Structure formats: C-alpha cells, structure tokens
C-alpha cells in the first residue's frame, strides 16, 4: 500500500456517502436565506464597510486637539520662557457643514449597502431555485429511466 490508498479510499467513501448527506439536508427557501445571511462573508463585509465609513465620518466632525508648546530663549543675558496653549475654535461653521456632509456620506453608504445586500439575496434566491429546478429535473429523469431499466432487465 502506498500513500495514495488512504486518500483514494476516503475520496471513494465521500463519493458514496455524498448522496446520503445531500439528501438529508433539505431546506426551505427561508431557512436557506437565513443561513446565507448568517454565514455570508460578503454580507458581513458590507456591514463592516458601513461601520468603517461611520468611524471616518466621526473624525471629520471633531474639533482639533489643542496644541501645547514650551520654548526657552536666551538673549542678551536674559532668559525668556514661553508656554503656549493653542486651540482652534471652529467659528466659521465648517464643523456643522462637515457633520452634515458626514451624515449624507453615511446615509449614502447605507443605501448602497442595502442595494448590494438586496442584489446578493436575489442572486442567492435565483441560485436556490436553479438548484431546486435541477433536483426536480433529476427526479423526473430518474423516474423516466426506471421503466426502461425494468424493460432492460426483463
């Protein structure tokens, strides 16, 4: 026996058991859609993208941090020390405009995400019903072949 034998046996066992496993996993559309929404990396990525935009927007609308500086100067035998505290005051109305722009940006991102989620759900439903149709065709074909098999055996 070589190294390939256990892999071959496992593959053959998987092929033999696959119809039993697949047959036991019947799901309704609602169950499949719920599972898709719970496990889809694409949907989770879209939600994370909106959270990232919200975090960026919060930084737009915050006032600047204060600056603190300490300097010493020696000139003509005298030593001067300066302590400077600087705070920018947003009196131009820019901060309010940035908040408004931030809300619009977040709203736009949420709308785009909702649209993308609806498209993903629609694509999933189309794939689900495509699979269901293929399963029904397979059942019909097998039921049509069964009488032919009986004739061939006789």
């Amino acid at each position: 026996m070589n190294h390939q034998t256990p892999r071959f046996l496992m593959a053959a066992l998987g092929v033999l058991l696959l119809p039993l496993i697949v047959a036991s996993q019947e799901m309704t559309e609602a169950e499949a859609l719920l599972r898709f929404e719970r496990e889809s990396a694409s949907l989770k990525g879209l939600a994370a993208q909106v959270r990232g935009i919200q975090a960026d927007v919060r930084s737009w609308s915050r006032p600047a941090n204060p600056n603190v500086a300490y300097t010493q100067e020696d000139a003509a035998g005298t030593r001067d020390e300066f302590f400077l505290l600087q705070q920018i005051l947003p009196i131009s109305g820019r901060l309010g405009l940035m908040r408004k722009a931030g809300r619009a940006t977040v709203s736009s991102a949420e709308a785009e995400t909702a649209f993308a989620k609806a498209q993903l759900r629609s694509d999933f439903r189309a794939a689900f019903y495509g699979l269901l149709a293929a399963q029904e065709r397979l059942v019909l074909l097998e039921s049509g072949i069964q009488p032919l098999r009986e004739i061939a055996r006789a």
Side-chain angles (χ1 to χ4, degrees):
M1 273 188 143
N2 59 18
H3 268 290
Q4 296 299 328
T5 304
R7 288 184 191 166
F8 174 76
L9 289 175
M10 292 301 289
L13 184 62
V15 169
L16 292 174
L17 294 178
L18 186 62
L20 296 174
I21 294 169
V22 171
S24 67
Q25 292 183 353
E26 292 182 12
M27 271 190 219
T28 65
E29 176 198 4
E31 292 169 341
L33 190 59
L34 182 65
R35 185 172 178 182
F36 171 72
E37 289 177 353
R38 193 175 53 239
E39 297 177 7
S40 174
S42 298
L43 292 177
K44 290 176 184 177
L46 289 170
Q49 191 175 20
V50 169
R51 286 192 303 271
I53 290 171
Q54 287 171 336
D56 287 343
V57 165
R58 277 193 297 270
S59 69
W60 295 357
S61 60
R62 296 195 188 254
N65 288 333
N67 293 323
V68 178
Y70 175 76
T71 58
Q72 294 180 358
E73 294 180 4
D74 286 327
T78 60
R79 183 177 193 170
D80 294 324
E81 295 180 10
F82 298 97
F83 181 73
L84 178 66
L85 174 65
Q86 183 179 12
Q87 173 69 51
I88 298 173
L89 299 175
I91 58 174
S92 65
R94 180 177 180 270
L95 197 58
L97 293 174
M98 291 301 285
R99 286 183 180 140
K100 189 175 181 180
R103 285 190 298 271
T105 301
V106 169
S107 177
S108 172
E110 287 172 342
E112 288 174 6
T113 298
F115 178 72
K117 284 181 179 182
Q119 279 187 317
L120 286 171
R121 287 184 191 114
S122 176
D123 292 344
F124 178 79
R125 282 188 178 108
F128 177 84
Y129 283 111
L131 177 62
L132 189 62
Q135 287 175 342
E136 291 298 322
R137 279 192 302 272
L138 183 62
V139 168
L140 286 173
L141 288 173
E142 286 179 359
S143 67
I145 291 175
Q146 189 61 28
L148 296 175
R149 285 183 184 158
E150 291 175 8
I151 292 170
R153 286 185 197 153

